[in-house]
Every structure is written in C-alpha cells, then in structure tokens.
Amino acid sequence: MSFRLFDLNDPQRHAVTTTEGPLLILAGAGTGKTRVITFRIGYMLSQGIEAASILAVTFTNKAANEMRERLMAMLGKEKAGKVTMSTFHALCMRILRQDIEKLGYKKNFTIYDEGDQTGLLKKIITRTVAIGEKMEPNVAKSLISKAKNNGWNAPQEEKTLIGAIFARYQADLKQLNAVDFDDLLLLTVKLLAEHADVRQRWQKRFRYVMVDEFQDTNRLQLELVGYLAKRDDGTPPNVAVVGDDDQSIYGWRGAEVSNILEFETHFPNPTVVKLEQNYRSTNSILNTANTLIKNNPRRRPKQLWSGKGDGDKVRLVMAPNDHEEADFIAGEIAKRKAEGNLRYEDFAVLFRMNAQARSLEQAFQEKGVPYRIIGGKSFFDSREVKDVLSYFACTLNADNDAALLRIINTPPRGISEATVQKALELSIKEKCSLFQALQKEELHQGITPRAVTAIHEFMTQLDAWETKLNEPLVNQPEVLRKIIDESGYYDDLRRSCKNGDEALKRESNIRDLVGGFERYLEKSDGGLSGFLDAMALRQDKDDDDKEKGTGVTLITLHASKGLEFPHCYLVGLEEGVLPHDRSKLEGTLDEERRLLYVGITRAQQTLTMTYCYSRFRYGGSIPCTPSSFIKELDPDLIERIDLKKLMNTPVADTAVKSRFAAMRAALETGGGR
Ligand code: ATP
Ligand code: MG
C-alpha cells in the first residue's frame, strides 16, 4: 500500500486522521481538499475500516471517476473498488432501485431527461391552458425544478396555472413510471424520511460519509446527507465535508452556501480544519484570483498563499472578434506545444457559455489541433443515441413506456399517432403499461385491422429480441447490433439525414454507443440495465466522459470545478458574457464573480484571459464592452496585449538579427538544426 501521510501538511494530516465525528474542511481553491478526501479514505482502510462502509459523494461523474482512479493508484483496484464513490444522482438511483416500490412506483422506473421533460410539458400545457393563457415549456420546467429543489410537493389545489401544470406533470410522470432528475433526490429523501427500515439499512451500510464540493449542495442534498450520516440511535455522525464558499456556483440550482457556513447547526461540534497553502498555482495567478474575490460581500476571509513562486504574469489579450480570439488561441497552443515540449493535454480553454465553443472548435479543426469538449451535451442529446438507447431499454423491458413511445413508430411501421394516443389513454385507465395496453382487445376493437397487424408484428419482434438477449452466455453487444440492423433503424436514419456526412456521423455515434456498452461490461457487472442507468445519469450534468480522448480540453467554467491544468485560456471576459446577461436581472453578480474565480484558480503555471471588441451573438456581430471584473484585478499582476497591434507589428529588428546569428552559429559548428 502506497499512501504516505508525510505527503500532507499539518492541517491536511489532521483532517485525514480525524475519522470519527463531524468534520468540516473549509478551504480555498487548490489547497488539497479533494486530496484530503482521497487520503482520508486510504488512511481509514489502513486503520482496518471496511471499504464497503465508506461513501464519498461528489457532483459530477468526472470528479467521481477521477477520485476512483486516484484511489486505485494508491490502493490497488480491488480495495478501491469496494469504496462507494458516486454522484448524488447515481447514489439516489441506487437507493431508489431497491425500494422505490414503497413510494408507489415500479422498480424498473425510467429517468426523464430534459428533452423528455420538455416533450411531456408541451403536451400538458396544450391540455391545460385556457384561451388567452400562455406558458413556455422551458419556463414551466425551471419553475417546477425550483419548487422540487425547495422540497415542495405538487399542489393539491390547482389555484394557479403553473400549479395545475406541476400537478399534472407529476401525475403523468408517475403514470409513465418515470422520474426526472429532481425527483431522484426528492424521492430518495422522502423514502429515507418516511421509511425507518430503509433509512437504517443505509445508515448501517455507510458508516462513513464524505462530500466533496459541499458548497454546491442544495437543501435536499443536505437532507440526504443528514439521513445517511445521522444515526437513529443518536451517536455522532461520521460525516466529513469539504468546500469553499468562494466556489459556490450552483445557486441557480438551489445550492445554498449556508449549508457550509452553517454546518455546525446541522452537525453539532464538528472538528473544523482550515487549509491555506495552495499547491496548484503560481502567486501571479493566485493573487489575481484573490484580488477579484475580495469584492464579494458575505464571505469567510481567507489567507491563501503558494510556495510556487511568482511565475509569469497573467496575460490579458484583446482580440478584434471571437474568430480571431479562437484563431489566436489555437495557433498559440500549437506553437507553445512545439516550442515548450508540452502535450496538448496540458492546455485548457474555459468559457462561460456553450455557444462560445463553436468558434473555438472551428479554429482548432482548421489548425489541426486535437481537442475534446467537456460540457457540450451533443453526444447524448443526439436523437439517434436516444432512439437506440430506447431500443435497448425496450428489449430489456417492454413495459418501459417512455422508451416504447420513442421507438414505436421509428422507423414508421404503420402504428399511427392516433392509435398510440388511444393506447396511452387505455393504459392510464387500466393502470397498465403501454405495452400491455397495446395488446388489449378493447384497443383492437377501436382501430383498423391493419393497425392491429402492425402492432402484433412489432410486439412479436420485441419478444423475439428479448429472448435473444437473454440467452445464456450470449454476446449482448453483438445481439444489440443485430437488433438495430433488423429494426430498419439505419435506413430510416439515412433517409432523414440532410447529407451523407450527417448520416455517417450519426451511424458512428451508434457504433460508439455499443462500443461504450462493451467497455462498460469489462469494468462492471451491472449488465445492460446498469449501463442504461449510467447512460441516463450521464446525460445529466456538464460532464461527458465518453471522450476520454486526448487533446486540448475545451470546457465550461461550471464543468471545470475541481480540475486543474498547467496552462489555461479563459475566454470572453465581456459584459453580458462574464458576467452573464442574466446575472444583472437576477441579482447574481456575486455568483458570476465566483465563477470567474473558479476559472482563474484552475491554472497551474500560466493563465491567459481574453476579450473581444465584437462577438457573434444572436445571429449578428455585436460590439462588446470589457467585463467589469477586469477593473477589479490587480494591474501589477497583469500584462495587457492588444492582438491587433501584435499582429501588425513587424518582427523587431533585434529578433531578426538574433535569428540570423543563431543560424550562423549553427552552421559554423556544423550542427545543422
Ligand atoms: P479545488 O478547490 O479546485 O477543488 P482542492 O482544494 O480540492 O481544489 P486538490 O485538487 O486536492 O485541491 O489539490 C490541488 C493540487 O495540489 C493537486 O495537484 C494536489 O495533488 C496538490 N497538493 C495538495 N496537497 C498537497 C501536498 N500536501 N503536497 C503536494 N501537493 C499537494
Ligand atoms: Mg477539489
């Protein structure tokens, strides 16, 4: 076992070796909070604490995976594998899969992602609004989500339009045996609150609970941690949380910094540890971050310092527009990589909004610089991936209404929208699944004989696929490939694509998906249902780990939390972008400042920030004003560079001369290059 307590400073070691009772680690960026969690797990195991009794929760799949990898490197696969490292959502899924029946859902419930939610809400809104009333599905979605995250149930009395929509939405979800992401949390908390047997079982299972990035927990997540960690018998909870109030960036999702600032009220008499040495960044970078965050009111003041020296000044580059901004970055990274003997993986470009990725991607492609995007949801949002996942889900279990609805007429097989509607109504009336309703005499009497035949053929096909999939020792990925072939899905996909390129891309997405299942089977014994769960959860957040590929990381500021890169570019420091337009209306300027703080503190060795004089937005080029945050930075730490001037300046005489001198010297020594 290779974990060493002397790789920690004093307060870190204190935190690592305090294993019993509540522990609060409140510390700034890059001070080793996440490292403390991993080491603490290692220490616990060395003390004979059982791996299976340890739970570590984080926010993103990426963070959970990274922690698992660090732990494996430290302790070996076998031991590390028994520790539960999970996102909140995956943990809830696991708890609900076991006991959701106690809440009146069926065990094989489906997860509705945002697209599914919007679809359902659209239908409900059409059914619900009176003449003259109006409600946007996306507005309804976010209001409902806010309500759920506050722990509110759907109203009994439908006094307002949104209340009525909320109530119907919740009822329909239940009817479809589906839950949305907010429900995962809400229902788990409800389950643990109302069922002491379930609660105690999990309390017994997890004797030690740890939460990274605790500043981003919302009320429900805090409650969940409480139910898991507090003991019904009153012994002090073994709960350790780490967080940084300056990095709270999920206020819009209901996160409450007060959870960390008032930790003591929820878990009395905690050991409190402060970490102040930053091990990540140079002082130029760290102090730039410090001067910025000082402008936020209501924060716990911190004294962060780094032993890494001053390093290069932080650069602030002004570009004429977003294309030149992107070109400059792609070009410079290629150059720095070659000259500095660096890897593309040493660089990251951080941005506020997904739309900013487009010009960056283009520039990277043009210059042949490999990159990977984290934060874009393109892969899992694509319809072919969703369709094919629905095929898999239906093969596994045809009672999955949401999945069946998606593929019942894709490709077209003569089952009309009207028939489906009738079947749905029957399923609601009879409280059965759509699949069962489709087989009922009562339905068949009301539709054409051709439709009955079409239904019959499809049901027979689903049955046959299910049988094949469940044959003993069968190669499931292979079977699934055949199923997609046989379904005629590819032909339909090709027909519906604008051109051959698009068709190829979509087909290759499908192959990637099956390949993903193969890889999943190698690492896990969850089978197809485990894979489908993992896929559903993956669509959740900003992190798409599918592209483990190599290259420069293009990443949203939100997704960059907890990560670090040697060289960072932080783009689009303009009013309206960062701080975002919305923040002014919503009074969340402080949160935007924290977001920039998170971005700056990702950089280890160099940081370049950029802004443009004009940017392509809302379908046209609009002039930009530099971000008001720039004024808050310490000018002594920053070097300003005007890209336009830089490009128009001829190479200085001295530079030319010295280049000739170098060439001559090389020739004289006969060294060639
Ligand atoms: P963030 O606030 O961004 O989540 P963090 O507080 O979780 O940061 P870590 O990611 O754990 O910080 O650590 C930052 C970097 O410092 C990592 O590269 C880590 O390995 C290194 N580090 C932390 N503590 C030490 C130490 N005692 N000795 C050497 N390196 C350390
Ligand atoms: Mg961290």
Side-chain angles (χ1 to χ4, degrees):
M1 162 147 145
S2 65
F3 112 87
R4 306 177 306 190
L5 278 180
F6 54 78
D7 288 339
L8 299 169
N9 64 31
D10 286 345
Q12 286 178 334
R13 195 175 310 114
H14 180 46
V16 163
T17 51
T18 306
T19 61
E20 310 298 307
L23 171 67
L24 168 64
I25 301 162
L26 187 69
T31 51
K33 295 184 297 295
T34 304
R35 185 179 171 106
V36 162
I37 294 203
T38 349
F39 274 60
R40 196 164 176 268
I41 297 175
Y43 177 76
M44 286 177 161
L45 297 179
S46 78
Q47 299 300 296
I49 291 173
E50 242 187 274
S53 68
I54 302 172
L55 167 69
V57 191
T58 62
F59 273 80
T60 60
N61 293 311
K62 190 163 177 55
N65 287 341
E66 217 159 81
M67 211 185 266
R68 194 171 299 123
E69 270 161 31
R70 280 200 215 172
L71 203 66
M72 276 188 191
M74 203 157 79
L75 304 166
K77 199 170 169 179
E78 209 200 328
K79 255 195 160 168
K82 294 207 181 90
V83 179
T84 303
M85 305 209 179
S86 168
T87 62
F88 273 104
H89 285 121
L91 176 69
C92 291
M93 177 91 110
R94 189 162 149 201
I95 296 175
L96 290 177
R97 278 273 181 250
Q98 288 194 13
D99 286 298
I100 199 169
E101 282 169 344
K102 293 201 159 69
L103 300 177
Y105 289 77
K106 287 179 279 182
K107 250 192 177 128
N108 58 14
F109 65 90
T110 350
I111 298 206
Y112 258 40
D113 67 14
E114 291 204 9
D116 303 328
Q117 276 178 285
T118 312
L120 179 59
L121 279 166
K122 266 191 199 147
K123 278 191 209 151
I124 293 174
I125 290 171
T126 347
R127 270 193 280 150
T128 314
V129 288
I131 297 167
E133 279 185 324
K134 231 177 130 174
M135 176 66 70
E136 288 294 324
N138 278 329
V139 174
K141 189 167 71 187
S142 92
L143 288 173
I144 292 174
S145 172
K146 278 221 172 96
K148 286 186 179 181
N149 278 300
N150 276 323
W152 299 340
N153 287 315
Q156 304 287 332
E157 264 180 273
E158 304 172 358
K159 282 191 191 135
T160 58
L161 177 60
I162 184 66
I165 293 172
F166 187 6
R168 298 243 163 115
Y169 172 74
Q170 216 45 27
D172 278 12
L173 274 184
K174 196 158 183 181
Q175 168 60 38
L176 292 160
N177 197 32
V179 304
D180 63 23
F181 278 103
D182 299 320
D183 286 337
L184 280 176
L185 262 170
L186 194 68
L187 293 176
T188 306
V189 168
K190 192 167 147 79
L191 180 69
L192 295 178
E194 292 172 1
H195 297 270
D197 53 329
V198 180
R199 182 172 65 238
Q200 282 158 8
R201 202 164 67 234
W202 286 103
Q203 288 175 352
K204 220 188 224 156
R205 166 75 203 263
F206 296 126
R207 312 288 311 174
Y208 298 88
V209 178
M210 282 173 244
V211 188
D212 198 358
E213 310 276 2
F214 192 70
Q215 75 278 355
D216 287 324
T217 49
N218 64 23
R219 213 196 87 170
L220 282 170
Q221 285 156 334
L222 174 71
E223 277 182 52
L224 175 62
V225 173
Y227 281 125
L228 291 172
K230 284 183 188 158
R231 307 283 142 212
D232 278 12
D233 66 14
T235 48
N238 295 326
V239 57
V241 308
V242 310
D244 176 1
D245 52 327
D246 288 334
Q247 294 187 67
S248 162
I249 53 174
Y250 282 101
W252 51 280
R253 233 164 47 194
E256 296 181 27
V257 193
S258 60
N259 286 352
I260 194 158
L261 297 178
E262 293 157 17
F263 182 77
E264 286 97 328
T265 56
H266 306 289
F267 302 97
N269 307 318
T271 308
V272 180
V273 176
K274 277 195 173 183
L275 307 176
E276 295 183 324
Q277 178 172 2
N278 172 298
Y279 287 91
R280 179 179 293 145
S281 313
T282 64
N283 276 307
S284 301
I285 296 169
L286 194 59
N287 291 334
T288 301
N290 286 343
T291 50
L292 172 78
I293 202 67
K294 274 204 197 107
N295 293 284
N296 264 8
R298 289 186 306 278
R299 56 183 285 268
R300 291 201 186 186
K302 296 178 195 66
Q303 298 291 329
L304 280 192
W305 60 279
S306 152
K308 296 234 178 252
D310 287 343
D312 292 349
K313 277 194 174 181
V314 171
R315 294 187 304 166
L316 181 63
V317 175
M318 295 148 264
N321 57 50
D322 51 326
H323 287 292
E324 306 216 24
E325 176 187 55
D327 270 353
F328 161 70
I329 293 173
E332 194 182 79
I333 289 179
K335 198 165 129 241
R336 287 174 72 184
K337 174 192 177 274
E339 289 172 359
N341 201 10
L342 300 166
R343 304 168 311 147
Y344 282 126
E345 291 71 40
D346 294 334
F347 296 90
V349 186
L350 292 80
F351 46 87
R352 174 69 181 86
M353 302 177 298
N354 275 313
Q356 288 172 270
R358 218 168 303 138
S359 46
L360 288 166
E361 258 191 283
Q362 208 178 349
F364 278 80
Q365 279 167 7
E366 278 168 14
K367 296 221 156 45
V369 175
Y371 65 90
R372 58 187 188 136
I373 294 195
I374 301 179
K377 302 195 218 158
S378 52
F379 180 73
F380 292 107
D381 265 356
S382 59
R383 68 180 154 94
E384 69 278 7
V385 168
K386 289 186 165 183
D387 288 344
V388 167
L389 283 173
S390 295
Y391 267 97
F392 295 176
C394 283
T395 307
L396 193 68
N397 166 24
D399 288 328
N400 184 330
D401 288 357
L404 188 59
L405 274 175
R406 204 173 165 96
I407 61 163
I408 193 162
N409 223 10
T410 311
R413 30 174 91 80
I415 306 175
S416 71
E417 183 84 14
T419 305
V420 174
Q421 198 50 43
K422 278 185 191 147
L424 260 182
E425 278 158 20
L426 184 63
S427 81
I428 292 171
K429 197 178 103 199
E430 296 282 318
K431 297 204 186 316
C432 65
S433 72
L434 180 63
F435 181 71
Q436 288 161 347
L438 283 163
Q439 291 163 327
K440 286 197 191 295
E441 237 347 272
E442 192 182 336
L443 176 78
H444 298 173
Q445 280 159 8
I447 56 178
T448 64
R450 267 187 43 210
V452 177
T453 315
I455 290 174
H456 181 72
E457 272 171 15
F458 186 44
M459 302 288 110
T460 315
Q461 199 167 32
L462 277 178
D463 263 349
W465 289 340
E466 193 194 342
T467 313
K468 254 192 220 159
L469 188 76
N470 288 315
E471 274 168 18
L473 298 178
V474 76
N475 179 339
Q476 288 199 335
E478 211 37 61
V479 174
L480 293 175
R481 278 195 193 96
K482 285 216 185 83
I483 290 177
I484 311 167
D485 267 340
E486 280 174 26
S487 69
Y489 184 76
Y490 282 121
D491 296 330
D492 186 51
L493 186 68
R494 269 176 228 129
R495 267 196 300 276
S496 67
C497 284
K498 282 194 289 292
N499 53 43
D501 274 357
E502 186 191 333
L504 279 179
K505 176 147 193 286
R506 292 189 189 272
E507 283 172 34
S508 115
N509 278 346
I510 297 177
R511 275 194 300 278
D512 285 354
L513 188 66
V514 184
F517 179 41
E518 267 167 346
R519 283 194 302 280
Y520 175 84
L521 289 178
E522 283 163 20
K523 322 187 279 215
S524 159
D525 48 14
L528 182 56
S529 69
F531 176 69
L532 292 174
D533 278 357
M535 288 298 110
L537 289 176
R538 200 162 263 197
Q539 294 173 26
D540 167 23
K541 295 289 128 32
D542 309 310
D543 55 335
D544 172 354
D545 231 16
K546 170 205 153 234
E547 305 184 51
K548 256 237 135 63
T550 47
V552 177
T553 301
L554 309 186
I555 190 168
T556 60
L557 286 165
H558 279 101
S560 76
K561 197 165 57 112
L563 306 180
E564 57 190 16
F565 305 91
H567 306 285
C568 289
Y569 290 82
L570 217 163
V571 302
L573 261 80
E574 295 136 30
E575 278 304 287
V577 176
L578 184 62
H580 195 280
D581 287 326
R582 263 200 323 257
S583 64
K584 291 208 187 107
L585 299 171
E586 296 176 357
T588 49
L589 197 67
D590 294 353
E591 182 150 320
E592 294 291 308
R593 196 178 277 110
R594 290 194 291 267
L595 201 51
L596 178 55
Y597 175 80
V598 167
I600 295 174
T601 54
R602 298 309 96 197
Q604 296 174 293
Q605 296 164 30
T606 70
L607 172 66
T608 304
M609 299 190 282
T610 64
Y611 71 82
C612 302
Y613 294 123
S614 80
R615 174 173 298 277
F616 194 82
R617 272 183 96 184
Y618 312 117
S621 174
I622 49 173
C624 312
T625 331
S627 166
S628 52
F629 293 146
I630 292 176
K631 288 198 289 288
E632 299 175 1
L633 307 175
D634 180 352
D636 289 344
L637 300 171
I638 291 186
E639 179 191 0
R640 286 177 177 257
I641 300 169
D642 193 327
L643 200 57
K644 222 180 193 160
K645 280 194 204 130
L646 194 73
M647 287 187 302
N648 293 337
T649 324
V651 183
D653 260 6
T654 48
V656 176
K657 262 187 215 141
S658 64
R659 202 184 309 151
F660 280 123
M663 270 160 60
R664 234 185 350 259
L667 288 172
E668 275 162 13
T669 55
R673 37 188 84 192

